[in-house]
Amino acid sequence: MYLTEENIAKEPFEQFDIWFNEAKEIGLKDPNAMNVASASKEGVPSSRMVLLKSYNKDGFVFYTNYTSRKSKEIIENPKVALNFFWDALERQVRIEGQIQKIDPKISDDYFASRSRLSQLGAHASNQSQVIQSYDVITDKLKALEEKYDGKKIPDTIIKYIPLLKCSFGWLEYLPP
């Protein structure tokens, strides 16, 4: 279906919700996959795929590791762009704006909801760093399993909400 003024929601977040739900309903693999583009303070661009965890009119939520290149770039330069691409629906949504950290308790709750192995893996893997070998990671994981045996694993995740300008083809919404 082509976009017309008659068949598109006037409010972009409402339109995103419609399209996102359509992408889920037709069974797309990872309809919440989005590209996050950031840049260093020198303006060197970088992009990668992450998973959208939630969204509302305040923004789009994803998580990243404190030590990742992405996190460091966002701290230095909070301007980002997101892109959702749903090929089967012949649709994409581009979002641009400032990003900010939110309540650490929400981040802690998310980290606690992950499996224990996933939590340990977040510590074992030095994000955005070259891995010397598979054995180095598995040895580090085993050491962490012993270190945190019966103990709470500390959070390594930052939660971000972009405060964004959303573009849907010709329709734009700029937050007040």
Side-chain angles (χ1 to χ4, degrees):
M1 175 185 291
Y2 294 104
L3 290 179
T4 67
E5 289 187 37
E6 292 78 34
N7 71 5
I8 193 165
K10 300 295 181 222
E11 206 283 313
F13 289 99
E14 181 183 336
Q15 188 62 49
F16 178 85
D17 191 52
I18 292 166
W19 285 357
F20 184 68
N21 285 315
E22 286 176 5
K24 289 191 301 188
E25 287 167 11
I26 67 165
L28 289 182
K29 183 177 191 271
D30 297 325
N32 59 330
M34 62 182 185
N35 181 277
V36 176
S38 59
S40 68
K41 64 184 174 187
E42 293 82 19
V44 178
S46 176
S47 69
R48 76 288 290 152
M49 299 301 292
V50 301
L51 297 178
L52 174 72
K53 293 300 181 181
S54 65
Y55 63 93
N56 59 35
K57 291 183 183 193
D58 292 328
F60 297 78
V61 178
F62 69 93
Y63 297 90
T64 186
N65 189 294
Y66 286 111
T67 62
S68 70
R69 175 181 173 184
K70 172 175 48 292
S71 180
K72 290 174 183 171
E73 287 176 350
I74 290 169
I75 289 166
E76 291 178 350
N77 178 2
K79 295 175 183 155
V80 299
L82 309 178
N83 185 273
F84 292 87
F85 179 64
W86 302 301
D87 186 38
L89 295 172
E90 298 181 348
R91 295 182 184 147
Q92 68 177 321
V93 176
R94 195 177 106 220
I95 303 161
E96 300 171 344
Q98 296 278 344
I99 195 168
Q100 66 182 20
K101 284 192 249 183
I102 64 166
D103 186 350
K105 179 171 180 354
I106 296 169
S107 174
D108 291 344
D109 290 346
Y110 166 72
F111 190 77
S113 76
R114 295 172 65 177
S115 73
R116 188 160 182 83
L117 184 59
S118 176
Q119 291 176 10
L120 290 167
H123 284 274
S125 170
N126 294 329
Q127 295 291 308
S128 305
Q129 302 297 315
V130 175
I131 299 171
Q132 293 173 344
S133 72
Y134 180 76
D135 291 338
V136 169
I137 293 291
T138 55
D139 291 346
K140 196 170 180 184
L141 189 57
K142 285 176 191 173
L144 287 166
E145 285 174 328
E146 290 174 16
K147 177 179 179 179
Y148 292 111
D149 185 30
K151 298 176 187 164
K152 183 180 181 219
I153 302 167
D155 187 358
T156 64
I157 306 297
I158 299 175
K159 181 177 182 178
Y160 285 105
I161 291 188
L163 303 177
L164 302 166
K165 167 184 155 183
C166 299
S167 299
F168 296 86
W170 49 266
L171 178 70
E172 278 196 341
Y173 168 76
L174 293 167

